[in-house]
Amino acid sequence: MRSKTRSAALALLCVGSLALATACGSDDDSSEGDGGSTTITWWHNSNNDPGKSYYEQVAADFEADHPGVKIEISAMAHEDMVDKLDAAFQSGDMPDIYMERGGGEMADHVDAGLVRDLSDDASEEIGKIGGSVAGWQLDGKTYALPFSLGVVGVWYNTDLFKQAGITDTPTTMDEWYDDIAKLEDADITPISVGAGDKWPAAHYWYYTALRSCPEDVLKDAVTSLDFSDPCFVQAGDVLEDLLATDPFNAGFLTTKAQEGATSASGLLATGKVAMELQGHWEPGVMQGLTDDGKGLGDKTGWFPFPAVDGGAGDPADALGGGDAWAVSEDAPDEAVDFVKYLLSDEVQKGFAENDMGLPTNPAASGSVKDPALAQLLQVRDDAPYVQLYFDTAFGTSIGGAMNDEIALLFAGKASPQDVVDATQEAADAEK
Amino acid sequence: MTTTEAAISGEVTRRAATRRVAPRRAPGPAGARWRQRLEIAFFVTPALALMALFVVWPVVSAVRMSFYHWKGFGPMDELVGWRNYDYVLHDDVFRGAVTHNFVIVFASILIQLPLGLAVALLLNRRIRGRGLLRTIVFVPYVVAEVIAGVVWYQLLQPESGVIDGLIRSVGLTPPEQGFLGTPSLALGTVFVVLTWKYLGLAILLFLAGLQGVPDELFEAAQLDGASWWQVQRRIAVPLLGPTIRTWCFLSMIGSLQLFDMVWILTGGGPADATTTMATYLVNQGTGRHNYGIAGAASVVLFVIGFLMALIYQVFVLRRDTHEAR
């Protein structure tokens, strides 16, 4: 009798310990509420004010207009959000509303059946945003609504340019080389690049490719994954010419993009270098890297990537990218309504007024206060064609191989042809 | 504790009782045998469950992953056979990574072992401030790897870094791209930082081993007229054998799995000069979402580590385990 209870207890314990081990995996589906109420989970990366409070206000306004709807916000640092999203995609336990960067990355998520088609539900907003939405469309269907779209360009220190006697920003590569020489003569390091993180180095190649290749070749490459056009090798040749002027900060091969004062953005923010090729987020990043929280302040200047001699690309074309709100496949319908609200004139205007990014809703264009961002917005809207960052456009696998090889080109360990070959090899593995 | 004790004493009396009745039947009745098995199961199950969950299952899923083309989400249904292994084994970056791992393995043993031994022997002498010196030597090992990495990363910055400043102040020219930014110097620099970080562990282990050597042996040798050197060479080092062999094993496994310090200092760069197998698989997996390739790389890492451990166990450590028996 005693032994029986003991073995029963034993069995219970064994089962219990196993159950405990498996129980950790399951989690309640947050989108199902009781008594007619709906909870929407929303992940975003505006984890600093004013953006954070602004989004809280937006959610509260929506809740007030939609009784029974509750919005659960998770505001995370960007890198944390990307990691958590990766885990969410793997487990299928996704937030209802999250950020998509478009291109091949999004195509992978769509293929896996994780993203909701918004074409019909949000047709009005899609029409309003116009051409910018193209990066988030696949086979004529729209899977996410871009709320901020920026372009990459050269950020520079106007004081250091003056010191070196540079009066006008360069419009061709040759003029740029002259300016680099002037800066070097004045004992100023011309450019910083975070080649340790690879993508900042890759942006140079993306731009030389954008300037060297005709628009249709680039558009075609994204779908056909064919990089045989000689303009892609030419892009590497142009980049080698730039590298030959030795314009970069010492140790640039392991320099990080935007972490700390010794990163590429930190060097520009603290006046150690004159220029950096970066995206529209640069002023905000620099503010976080200086003690006074001002970054370069009123010394901040911006010019578009110069034209390449004999290049087939339009010098007004821009490299860019942005963030879009996507709704996961099994999210409640109210999530779609909220995303539509996020793209409304009212919310986008507030978004612009708080300098949270470059709004995509034309009604908000006039609301951008920061002069540098306003200039960027102008360039973006005037650009005949905005090429999505290649690594995003081609997806992580091809993009990663491409970026790694471009970083090798920066180190002098790969030729322009190698970059094309490595990209093509990774692309062939995807076909 | 009391239940166990009661169970054991109950077991003993019952066995004695059965033996009295039927002394020839050795193992006792079937019930007792079952109870014994249940007891074993009782104590082993939690540990086994944890091991299955956190060790066996990840290994199995990595092996499974390595045969698929999978991006990390959606169904894992595109079986590609040995293609991922083919890719990994022919990838120059991975081959470079394996080479770097083995360079670190052998450099650790060739440089850290004599250095650690020398410091341990010195610190084993009666010198003033010995406790303080021992603490100082051991501090780097206690510092969190990431913090140590970030500190060294800043020290090694070209131009603005402290180390470049020191080199300049004595009239020498530091490398133009910095120690970490020059492909030919990067791996050596990483190794120096690793030595700084892990020498403390070697010294601590050797010191502990030396404590186990009876003082009488040293005294006897000294009475026989042996010099300090002779005592160290003929008595201390040979008696430290098992400790040294164990340290070599730990160092080898650690070098093969090397990740955090490299990740912080160089991220595997510049120009793949410091990639290790672990940075390679993180780059392929979480970086490029090629989970199949990352899986294959992790299996290769596992096999290499397992084989090295096995070979070491059979040819080197066997003596120690044999003696222990």
Side-chain angles (χ1 to χ4, degrees), chain A residues 12-68:
Chain A
L12 209 76
L13 199 113
C14 295
V15 172
S17 62
L18 279 172
L20 195 80
T22 48
C24 319
S26 66
D27 205 348
D28 290 348
D29 195 354
S30 50
S31 57
E32 279 164 39
D34 45 276
S37 74
T38 311
T39 304
I40 300 170
T41 47
W42 177 28
W43 289 8
H44 68 71
N45 64 356
S46 296
N47 62 330
N48 290 319
D49 276 331
K52 193 178 175 208
S53 332
Y54 178 65
Y55 275 156
E56 277 163 11
Q57 186 55 47
V58 166
D61 291 348
F62 185 80
E63 284 170 354
D65 284 350
H66 296 74

Side-chain angles (χ1 to χ4, degrees), chain A residues 31-368:
Chain A
S31 57
E32 279 164 39
D34 45 276
S37 74
T38 311
T39 304
I40 300 170
T41 47
W42 177 28
W43 289 8
H44 68 71
N45 64 356
S46 296
N47 62 330
N48 290 319
D49 276 331
K52 193 178 175 208
S53 332
Y54 178 65
Y55 275 156
E56 277 163 11
Q57 186 55 47
V58 166
D61 291 348
F62 185 80
E63 284 170 354
D65 284 350
H66 296 74
V69 176
K70 186 164 172 10
I71 296 169
E72 225 168 69
I73 305 177
S74 299
M76 294 169 261
H78 181 74
E79 295 301 322
D80 293 349
M81 187 188 73
V82 172
D83 289 348
K84 276 193 85 171
L85 269 177
D86 270 350
F89 289 132
Q90 273 181 34
S91 66
D93 185 16
M94 306 234 307
D96 296 322
I97 300 168
Y98 67 98
M99 282 164 62
E100 276 285 3
R101 286 183 294 189
E105 251 177 66
M106 191 194 74
D108 291 342
H109 300 154
V110 171
D111 284 347
L114 300 165
V115 196
R116 180 160 166 164
D117 176 8
L118 301 176
S119 318
D120 297 331
D121 293 334
S123 55
E124 193 188 326
E125 284 74 14
I126 293 166
K128 215 186 255 180
I129 297 167
S132 303
V133 85
W136 288 265
Q137 283 175 326
L138 214 63
D139 303 327
K141 288 178 186 159
T142 307
Y143 290 92
L145 304 181
F147 59 91
S148 176
L149 195 71
V151 292
V152 174
V154 183
W155 296 92
Y156 72 98
N157 185 324
T158 49
D159 265 14
L160 291 181
F161 264 45
K162 254 179 235 150
Q163 254 181 57
I166 304 167
T167 45
D168 281 323
T169 52
T171 53
T172 66
M173 291 304 279
D174 287 332
E175 284 177 30
W176 203 14
Y177 299 151
D178 288 343
D179 292 344
I180 287 168
K182 279 182 198 163
L183 286 161
E184 275 170 347
D185 288 343
D187 226 10
I188 298 164
T189 307
I191 313 175
S192 64
V193 61
D197 282 334
K198 291 173 184 163
W199 57 266
H203 279 176
Y204 280 88
W205 191 89
Y206 300 171
Y207 247 126
T208 53
L210 184 63
R211 295 281 181 262
S212 305
C213 299
E215 191 183 317
D216 57 315
V217 169
L218 292 173
K219 277 185 172 161
D220 193 47
V222 174
T223 46
S224 67
L225 298 181
D226 175 16
F227 299 92
S228 57
D229 196 288
C231 70
F232 289 109
V233 179
Q234 197 200 331
D237 290 335
V238 174
L239 184 49
E240 279 195 326
D241 290 343
L242 173 66
L243 285 161
T245 66
D246 196 15
F248 297 114
N249 58 301
F252 64 93
L253 291 176
T254 47
T255 300
K256 296 188 162 108
Q258 45 197 37
E259 294 160 28
T262 54
S263 66
S265 297
L267 290 173
L268 181 65
T270 52
K272 298 269 174 20
V273 300
M275 295 179 266
E276 191 197 359
L277 181 69
Q278 263 300 3
H280 58 278
W281 52 80
E282 184 70 358
V285 169
M286 287 198 293
Q287 280 160 19
L289 290 172
T290 46
D291 290 335
D292 58 6
K294 285 188 184 146
L296 265 187
D298 48 12
K299 289 181 284 182
T300 314
W302 189 91
F303 62 86
F305 197 89
V308 166
D309 268 350
D314 187 333
D317 286 348
L319 177 76
D323 298 311
W325 297 123
V327 178
S328 63
E329 182 63 46
D330 48 4
D333 291 340
E334 285 84 351
V336 180
D337 294 336
F338 185 61
V339 164
K340 286 161 75 175
Y341 178 61
L342 284 174
L343 266 300
S344 66
D345 298 356
E346 179 195 346
V347 175
Q348 278 266 292
K349 271 182 192 162
F351 176 82
E353 279 162 12
N354 284 300
D355 286 331
M356 292 165 70
L358 298 165
T360 50
N361 185 334
S365 293
S367 306
V368 177

